[in-house]
Amino acid sequence: MNTTKKIGLIGFGVVGEGVFKVISSNKDLKVQIEKIAIKNPSKKRDAPAELFTTDVNDILLDSRIDTIVELIDDDEAAYFIVKQALIHKKNVVTANKKMLAIHLSELIQLQKANKVSLLYEAAVCGSIPILRNLEEYYNNDLLQSIYGIVNGSTNYILTQMTEKNVCYQQALQQAQLEGFAESNPTLDVEGFDAQNKLVLLLKHTFGIKALPTQIIRKGICSISSEDLQYAKEKEFQIKLIAKAYFNQLGYVVAYVMPQFIDKESPLCTIRNEYNGILIESTLADQQFLSGKGAGRYPTTSAVLSDISALQYGYQYEYKKASNVNTPTVRQNEIIEVYVSWKGQTAIDSALFIEIDTYFKSKEFCFLTGKINLATMDSLIACQKFSVVEMPFRPLQKVAPEILLEKNVYEPLLMDS
């Protein structure tokens, strides 16, 4: 069914205005914006005044409007809007990854109960159509892992630090000037944004229900010039990586952490605000997707793609089922890390299963070794320690019978 969609737009910031301008200038899209909800009525906006309202109920209760496009920063307000929209049998397009990561299971049930669509391609990796690919192209393949750069702000900062030899604060300020980082960059630089996106990737890759608090997270705030020098000497680059993979025991491990990337990896070529995702599967082996992950136009592109898909009644089907209830395995999952610190800060060597190298001076210390994810809480919580995972070695593929045993790909069985 290809009919004109009547849109209620919630939010008129950078992306909201971009969506409005594209729709207004392209009549072939068969989309009409009926109303726009805003917070500040005194702010000058480049759109007809009669379109604007400060009462979101003017949109939610308008029977003419069949689709809500939610593009605000406030995750709690976004949750209320999206929930009410679904209850009122309106399709929803949203880019609010934090709201989705916390409330996704409930919203999926509301979508099914009210026979409408909830689409959120713009919430993960900007212009890269990763969710649609996971839902459609990889629908029947046995996926082994998904990992990559999912936050353009941190990638921009790390690129500036690496290529221009500037400190973290200088790189952050430049990212803010360019519009790739918020005035309060905490969600990006401390890894919360990547953590929320990984929740959504887990759902569409493995069918796993997860909450952000279940995913181990370490951001880039502690990365120093000494860490970058170590990476340069080893011909590595440092990237903030979100990853999820099946280990040999048949459990999914998921975490967000800075990582050394060697020059053979396609992720090594991803610079500035770009994102890159590697998907490993049993049949197709390794696939790589890249594109702009931050900024006005990449997000606008993804929102418009979802709006267009609604004209044909598109929905995520969530066919991948899973019996794996915990997306991260803190015990018995050993990774190799580099840990650095400055001055006289003490580190508990008993945390490590094995220490391979150890360097100590008055100003700077580092070690490399093997550690269990379950014992990393103290290192992750303390900003005095920089923690970078050693290069991610190719995983030994999990046998298909183990994946099937976990019900990862039995359609229509998932408790979402």
Side-chain angles (χ1 to χ4, degrees):
M1 182 167 52
N2 191 353
T3 58
T4 299
K5 289 295 175 186
K6 305 291 187 177
I7 302 290
L9 182 60
I10 314 290
F12 202 70
V14 171
V15 178
E17 185 176 5
V19 170
F20 171 78
K21 286 184 174 180
V22 173
I23 290 175
S24 299
S25 62
N26 190 345
K27 303 303 180 184
D28 292 335
L29 289 175
K30 294 187 177 181
V31 173
Q32 183 174 327
I33 295 180
E34 298 287 337
K35 214 72 174 171
I36 304 171
I38 54 173
K39 192 174 183 179
N40 180 6
S42 62
K43 183 178 178 181
K44 187 176 180 180
R45 293 176 171 86
D46 188 15
E50 61 269 19
L51 286 177
F52 293 105
T53 179
T54 57
D55 186 353
V56 72
N57 285 317
D58 288 344
I59 291 176
L60 293 174
L61 302 179
D62 189 334
S63 60
R64 297 172 305 161
I65 293 173
D66 54 51
T67 300
I68 302 297
V69 177
E70 180 280 308
L71 299 170
I72 62 176
D73 293 332
D74 187 332
D75 60 286
E76 291 185 5
Y79 168 59
F80 171 81
I81 290 165
V82 171
K83 182 176 180 178
Q84 292 303 311
L86 295 173
I87 289 172
H88 286 87
K89 301 184 184 302
K90 299 181 189 296
N91 300 310
V92 173
V93 173
T94 177
N96 199 307
K97 71 279 296 183
K98 181 179 180 182
M99 179 272 294
L100 290 165
I102 296 171
H103 301 289
L104 186 59
S105 292
E106 178 189 1
L107 297 177
I108 290 172
Q109 292 291 356
L110 284 172
Q111 169 199 246
K112 291 179 178 178
N114 292 285
K115 299 180 180 179
V116 288
S117 294
L118 169 66
L119 301 180
Y120 42 86
E121 189 70 65
V124 185
C125 295
S127 62
I128 304 173
I130 183 61
L131 300 184
R132 200 81 61 83
N133 270 285
L134 291 170
E135 281 285 315
E136 304 299 328
Y137 186 81
Y138 293 102
N139 184 32
N140 295 304
D141 202 345
L142 300 177
L143 296 184
Q144 303 265 344
S145 69
I146 185 165
Y147 59 98
I149 301 161
V150 301
N151 181 272
S153 302
T154 54
N155 202 51
Y156 182 91
I157 292 168
L158 291 169
T159 301
Q160 296 298 302
M161 292 175 70
T162 300
E163 297 182 1
K164 297 188 177 179
N165 295 317
V166 297
C167 69
Y168 167 77
Q169 286 298 333
Q170 289 175 300
L172 172 58
Q173 289 172 6
Q174 185 62 33
Q176 290 169 327
L177 285 173
E178 295 288 343
F180 299 132
E182 301 291 339
S183 56
N184 181 359
T186 301
L187 289 177
D188 292 320
V189 299
E190 293 190 5
F192 290 104
D193 180 75
Q195 185 184 52
N196 291 329
K197 290 172 180 175
L198 188 52
V199 169
L200 303 181
L201 289 172
L202 279 165
K203 186 69 169 177
H204 290 273
T205 304
F206 301 118
I208 291 174
K209 292 190 298 184
L211 289 172
T213 51
Q214 294 173 280
I215 295 175
I216 294 171
R217 168 191 54 81
K218 178 71 173 178
I220 67 167
C221 301
S222 304
I223 301 295
S224 67
S225 58
E226 290 87 354
D227 301 330
L228 292 169
Q229 181 59 35
Y230 177 91
K232 184 177 180 181
E233 290 172 1
K234 301 293 185 181
E235 297 187 310
F236 297 151
Q237 290 192 29
I238 299 177
K239 306 288 187 182
L240 183 68
I241 300 296
K243 69 177 67 173
Y245 60 89
F246 265 101
N247 66 9
Q248 292 300 306
L249 297 175
Y251 293 101
V252 170
V253 182
Y255 54 100
V256 173
M257 192 179 299
Q259 184 177 326
F260 293 123
I261 304 296
D262 60 39
K263 58 186 178 182
E264 285 77 26
S265 171
L267 293 173
C268 193
T269 66
I270 304 302
R271 300 173 60 255
N272 293 323
E273 74 273 22
Y274 280 76
N275 285 185
I277 293 283
L278 282 160
I279 303 168
E280 292 185 326
S281 71
T282 303
L283 302 178
D285 201 10
Q286 188 179 92
Q287 304 289 317
F288 178 59
L289 302 173
S290 67
K292 283 192 175 182
R296 174 180 191 167
Y297 297 110
T299 307
T300 299
S301 171
V303 169
L304 290 169
S305 177
D306 278 347
I307 293 172
S308 178
L310 286 175
Q311 294 177 333
Y312 301 93
Y314 182 78
Q315 292 181 321
Y316 300 135
E317 296 186 46
Y318 302 103
K319 288 183 178 179
K320 301 181 180 74
S322 177
N323 287 332
V324 183
N325 295 317
T326 306
T328 55
V329 182
R330 289 175 178 258
Q331 68 277 9
N332 301 322
E333 188 63 29
I334 299 168
I335 64 172
E336 295 184 58
V337 295
Y338 157 101
V339 181
S340 70
W341 63 98
K342 293 184 178 181
Q344 301 303 309
T345 301
I347 190 168
D348 184 2
S349 59
L351 292 173
F352 295 84
I353 296 168
E354 178 182 308
I355 294 177
D356 300 318
T357 60
Y358 189 96
F359 171 83
K360 183 175 182 180
S361 70
K362 290 183 179 179
E363 293 80 25
F364 179 71
C365 308
F366 76 84
L367 63 80
T368 63
K370 296 180 178 64
I371 191 168
N372 196 303
L373 284 169
T375 67
M376 290 188 66
D377 288 349
S378 59
L379 295 179
I380 288 171
C382 183
Q383 293 295 347
K384 293 181 179 180
F385 294 113
S386 177
V387 181
V388 185
E389 187 177 6
M390 298 303 283
F392 195 45
R393 302 303 177 192
L395 293 168
Q396 182 180 350
K397 285 191 174 181
V398 179
E401 54 266 27
I402 293 178
L403 299 181
L404 291 169
E405 189 178 290
K406 292 291 179 180
N407 293 326
V408 178
Y409 291 87
E410 292 183 10
L412 309 179
L413 294 179
M414 187 178 63
D415 174 19
S416 58

